[in-house]
Amino acid sequence: MKTVYLDNNATTQVAPEVLDAMLPYFRDLYGNPSSMHSFGGQVAHKIREAREQTAALIGASPDEIIFTSCGTESDNAAIRSALATRPEKRHIVTSRVEHPAVKALCASLSHQGYRITEVAVDKNGLLDMDQYESSLTPDTAVVSLMWANNETGVIFPVEKAAEMAHEHGVPFHTDAVQSTGKIPINMMGSAMDMLSISGHKLHAPKGIGILYVRRGSKFSPFLIGGHQEKGRRGGTENTPSIIGLGKACELAVMNMDRENTTVKRLRDKLEKVLLETIPQSRVNGDQVHRLPNTTNISFEYIEGEAILLLMNEYGICASSGSACTSGSLQPSHVLHAMGVPFTMAHGSIRFSLSVFNTEEEIDFVIETLPPIIERLRAMSPFWSSAAQACAGK
Ligand SMILES: Cc1ncc(COP(=O)(O)O)c(C=O)c1O
């Protein structure tokens, strides 16, 4: 059975060119980039090249790039650095819909005495800018707002939010894990001070990330050790993955147009046909300010997990917005913050595409999913009572 992979916000396929770029650095070129000999020196040279490739994707200077182990480390390093360099400030501004890499860190910091403001979103998942502005105080140490939401793809106006933070003298961090490679990013001339990237969301391997830190910003390292990354992140470099990420960033520059044409067209087709053919379905999240690859659709009165299991039988991979698998029946905190009704939030599915998806795959999902929904609804007591109510019985 062929796999139809529509879960690219969870992780992506390593691009063949990325794997090819990495393999020699496992097999033959295993030197330590810090070594004095040229066997290590050639690896250091390749890391410099990867730093340039990654900087080019986001309009940064190579010296503003710190390689980390993942998006989570980058988020943690950014927020903890801001707190360490401004120890007198005890307030953090973030949003209600952040990824756990920020949300859970802030929850943990709240137990250490920090005050956290989680700015609300509206029913479309857009940030409440008035509440955001009024939450910035002289005690605010840092703002951390995601650029694009991993569940809905909704994009926050981070450039504007960063300017507003600066007007209050507050440094600004953005979690750009989902936006990098999908929408243009240009740090030159931007007010954003720090930005997190994760390799495995853009066709590089898992276990590699980037923290961008604007030149001249104060920075306090998260991992203290050797002199690697100019003392900003100790630990021998993950050489093959850094080189792979460099290649992935080079490919992302070339593929940016396709993300916003081909991928967007396939996403739009999937969304339009599913909404037309499946009653009581709707898209969660703003449809204008949204990543080109993501759609989060609710199918009312059924469980997302059940839909995923049946799609899995056909080789279709997607994600659910509810969290029954984790032992709780709570719908996702993102849909909850948006006020999505319970019966809708539980039946939500996130489809996230990439440049590797084809029209045939989308047509297959369009054909396969409606009967799955019909079958599940036929078994749902909520659906039959809703249908009876509609029929006036
Ligand atoms: C928005 C966002 N931030 C952070 C992360 C964490 O990235 P990583 O898996 O590289 O730690 C993810 C991963 O899903 C994400 O979607």
Side-chain angles (χ1 to χ4, degrees), residues 241-310:
S241 293
I242 289 174
I243 291 163
L245 179 54
K247 188 70 193 174
C249 288
E250 189 185 281
L251 294 173
V253 172
M254 296 191 300
N255 282 334
M256 188 73 71
D257 272 355
R258 277 173 70 201
E259 289 281 352
N260 290 280
T261 51
T262 320
V263 176
K264 182 174 183 300
R265 189 182 62 74
L266 291 180
R267 187 275 312 268
D268 289 346
K269 177 176 180 183
L270 174 72
E271 184 174 277
K272 183 169 178 289
V273 178
L274 291 181
L275 291 185
E276 279 170 4
T277 49
I278 302 175
Q280 304 283 95
S281 54
R282 74 162 213 199
V283 174
N284 297 309
D286 193 84
Q287 287 174 49
V288 178
H289 303 100
R290 188 169 53 147
L291 293 176
N293 78 318
T294 309
T295 178
N296 185 310
I297 307 182
S298 279
F299 304 100
E300 201 169 18
Y301 299 118
I302 41 177
E303 286 294 337
E305 271 71 12
I307 305 171
L308 289 184
L309 285 175
L310 290 190

Side-chain angles (χ1 to χ4, degrees), residues 9-11 68-75 97-102 146-151 175-179 196-201 205-209 350:
N9 288 10
T11 198
T68 65
S69 68
C70 58
T72 302
E73 183 191 325
S74 300
D75 286 344
V97 296
E98 297 298 313
H99 185 273
V102 168
M146 66 199 325
W147 195 318
N149 189 273
N150 45 304
E151 292 189 27
D175 175 338
V177 164
Q178 292 295 344
S179 49
S196 303
I197 295 175
S198 171
H200 73 104
K201 311 289 184 178
K206 295 159 190 65
I208 185 72
R350 174 188 72 188

